[in-house]
Amino acid sequence: QGMNTGIQDAYNLGWKLALVVRGEAPATLLDSYDAERRPVGEKLLRFTDRLFAVVAGGGRVGRVVRRLAPTLAVRLIGAPYVGRRLARFISQTGIRYRNSPLTTEAHGAARIDEHAPRAGDRAPDAELSSFRRLAELFHGPQHTLLFFAGGSTALIDHFSLLADEVAARYGPLVKPVLLRLEPAYPPVGVVDMRGAAHRRYGADPGAIYLVRPDGYIAFRGAETDSEVLRATLRARFVSA
């Protein structure tokens, strides 16, 4: 846990420092580090202090706990529900930044499936094809802007224009990616062959997600939230 928390601390601060040092983001971006990571550290310390107090406690209770803890831990890890939650907790991948100053839920997000990830959550992976996964698109120091167009020609046209606008204004700071369900000629965007990514992100019909370099969702909305997206990007970056 300490290792995973330290890695996330470094990654959380690293991309923000890089943007500010290069003059590509306002210095106020650095304020979000304390807002996002301090609660995580405090929660971890409270948990480990309590756990240590129980396991290292004296008397009969302490001895019983130390005797049963290994067997109980193995059984809990083997239970599917508990095991998944425990893995997310230890790996620190279950952390959310929903109350962060860098998190924006636009009005259109209310149309997205209730089980989909929200702004502030970790961006989940999904299979795009037998040879490609969504997480591969997140690699690199840039923000990744996902446009889920489904099979709608109107959305593909709308998102293509918006993607071109973002690319022209922000260059390497933001990588727009148009996701569609059906291949087309000429080829436009990335094809979500089985629709797994659209389903995982509750993106039918249409959705916009902005994913930070550390893999967390900074913005979530629909095609009607283009102006909110523009305002979010203007506040985040000093455009080229």
Side-chain angles (χ1 to χ4, degrees), residues 27 76 101 116 151 157 161 171-172 185 188 225 230:
L76 287 175
D157 292 342
L161 291 173
Y185 185 83
V188 178
D225 298 311
R230 290 186 179 101

Side-chain angles (χ1 to χ4, degrees), residues 40-84:
V40 174
E42 291 175 344
K43 181 178 180 179
L44 180 62
L45 285 175
R46 286 196 300 269
F47 173 79
T48 52
D49 283 349
R50 291 171 184 161
L51 184 63
F52 180 80
V54 171
V55 174
R60 182 178 299 175
V61 174
R63 289 194 297 272
V64 171
V65 169
R66 286 190 290 276
R67 187 179 302 117
L68 297 179
T71 302
L72 182 60
V74 170
R75 291 183 177 178
L76 287 175
I77 292 172
Y81 177 75
V82 177
R84 286 194 298 270

Side-chain angles (χ1 to χ4, degrees), residues 2-206:
M3 178 191 69
N4 290 326
T5 300
I7 291 172
Q8 286 206 0
D9 285 341
Y11 209 156
N12 186 290
L13 183 60
W15 68 267
K16 297 171 184 177
L17 277 173
L19 287 174
V20 172
V21 167
R22 292 197 300 258
E24 296 167 340
T28 52
L29 177 64
L30 300 178
D31 296 337
S32 65
Y33 172 76
D34 186 76
E36 291 179 350
R37 298 305 299 172
R38 180 187 291 271
V40 174
E42 291 175 344
K43 181 178 180 179
L44 180 62
L45 285 175
R46 286 196 300 269
F47 173 79
T48 52
D49 283 349
R50 291 171 184 161
L51 184 63
F52 180 80
V54 171
V55 174
R60 182 178 299 175
V61 174
R63 289 194 297 272
V64 171
V65 169
R66 286 190 290 276
R67 187 179 302 117
L68 297 179
T71 302
L72 182 60
V74 170
R75 291 183 177 178
L76 287 175
I77 292 172
Y81 177 75
V82 177
R84 286 194 298 270
R85 288 181 62 89
L86 187 61
R88 286 196 298 270
F89 179 71
I90 293 175
S91 66
Q92 300 290 284
T93 55
I95 292 169
R96 296 170 172 173
Y97 301 136
R98 291 183 177 179
N99 297 319
S100 167
L102 301 184
T103 297
T104 301
E105 278 273 300
H107 181 73
R111 294 164 38 194
I112 299 174
D113 186 274
E114 62 179 348
H115 300 296
R118 292 172 52 186
D121 294 355
R122 191 174 184 85
D125 189 17
E127 185 182 81
L128 297 175
S129 69
S130 300
F131 307 100
R132 195 174 193 184
R133 302 195 65 85
L134 184 63
E136 296 172 14
L137 302 177
F138 303 152
H139 292 175
Q142 77 288 322
H143 282 64
T144 305
L145 184 55
L146 302 177
F147 294 110
F148 289 90
S152 168
T153 301
L155 281 179
I156 291 171
D157 292 342
H158 174 71
F159 284 152
S160 293
L161 291 173
L162 190 53
D164 290 343
E165 175 190 329
V166 170
R169 184 177 181 88
Y170 297 100
L173 299 178
V174 182
K175 179 174 71 176
V177 177
L178 175 65
L179 292 155
R180 58 186 300 161
L181 293 177
E182 300 290 338
Y185 185 83
V188 178
V190 176
V191 180
D192 182 12
M193 293 296 292
R194 300 179 181 86
H198 279 72
R199 290 191 299 273
R200 185 66 185 86
Y201 282 75
D204 185 24

